Amino acid sequence: MAVRVAVLASGGGSNLQALVDACDAGRCAARIVLAAADAPGAGALARAERAGIPARLVDRGAHPTREAFEHALDAVIHAHGADLVCLAGFMRILSPRFVEAWHDRLLNVHPSLLPAFKGLDTHRRALETGVRLHGCTVHLVRPALDDGPILVQGAVPVREGDDAATLAARVLAMEHRCYPLALDLLARGAVRIDGERVAGAERGRLLVDR
Ligand code: GRF
């Protein structure tokens, strides 16, 4: 039986779409059973509805504390029987408590080649730094920000004349390739998590866009 996955998003949901498409096409041994957003109007919810996936709003603004919000989120995830949770453009920092409860079952995609450029505004910072190579990382989530065992990285060139928008678009296209691959590795049991590193025959997947 396919691994059941809940996807949490705050934005447009293009990564959610990439995961749904890969699962539908048989490229990812998982089934998306829930899309949840933390704010009304998240494009991800509309995408989920179009794809026939249960879409739930767990509105951060409707909960007085982060604890109450996370409790509601956890309840929705469990109600849909999810085994794994994928953060896909989810713009809330989750508490150590939530993260530990989903230890090794919580994934994130970050728009940089970690450990470079943790946090926000990664594309502008990459351009300012003058790196020639940028990209994205799919990793297991740990309590520290943008930290955790790396499943897949995707590298893209920084081109002459790039601005943050053109670079972001190139990285986002790479995210759409890396996230389904990372989820598939985990869902198939093709990798194992050895403390803070990913091990197994298929560990260390790297995609490169020249
Ligand atoms: C992605 O670049 C993700 O890495 C970042 O936010 C963006 C979300 O895009 N944290 P989408 O909502 O999946 O289209």
Side-chain angles (χ1 to χ4, degrees):
M1 225 171 60
V3 166
R4 297 169 65 88
V5 176
V7 179
L8 309 187
S10 303
S14 67
N15 276 294
L16 163 70
Q17 190 74 58
L19 292 172
V20 169
D21 291 347
C23 292
D24 284 353
R27 282 184 284 115
C28 185
R31 183 168 147 219
I32 312 299
V33 295
L34 167 71
D38 61 332
L45 291 177
R47 280 187 196 265
E49 275 162 16
R50 280 199 296 277
I53 288 163
R56 298 284 179 273
L57 169 65
V58 182
D59 192 350
R60 174 64 182 90
H63 294 84
T65 61
R66 179 165 79 170
E67 199 181 357
F69 166 68
E70 290 186 353
H71 187 76
L73 200 56
D74 207 45
V76 169
I77 296 168
H78 281 295
H80 288 80
D83 308 304
L84 290 176
V85 177
C86 287
L87 306 180
F90 188 68
M91 301 308 282
R92 302 269 165 204
I93 293 178
L94 293 163
S95 69
R97 203 165 119 144
F98 186 98
V99 171
E100 289 304 348
W102 287 94
H103 189 78
D104 286 351
R105 296 182 300 149
L106 181 60
L107 288 77
N108 183 44
V109 62
H110 180 74
S112 78
L113 292 172
L114 289 173
F117 308 121
K118 295 183 178 187
L120 296 174
D121 248 347
T122 57
H123 310 304
R124 182 185 55 75
R125 287 157 58 214
L127 288 169
E128 279 173 10
T129 310
V131 291
R132 305 294 196 270
L133 198 63
H134 187 41
C136 63
T137 303
V138 183
H139 64 100
L140 288 155
V141 177
R142 294 292 186 254
L145 182 70
D146 298 325
D147 191 35
I150 290 172
L151 288 159
V152 174
Q153 290 192 301
V156 305
V158 178
R159 297 196 197 283
E160 195 63 40
D162 263 341
D163 58 20
T166 57
L167 188 54
R170 194 172 306 124
V171 171
L172 189 62
M174 185 53 100
E175 292 178 39
H176 299 160
R177 294 170 58 195
C178 289
Y179 215 165
L181 178 60
L183 178 57
D184 184 56
L185 289 177
L186 209 58
R188 283 194 289 114
V191 291
R192 63 173 201 283
I193 314 308
D194 205 352
E196 293 310 300
R197 291 184 56 101
V198 173
E202 297 187 59
R203 77 189 183 284
R205 281 296 189 92
L206 169 69
L207 302 183
V208 182
D209 173 3
R210 291 170 195 283

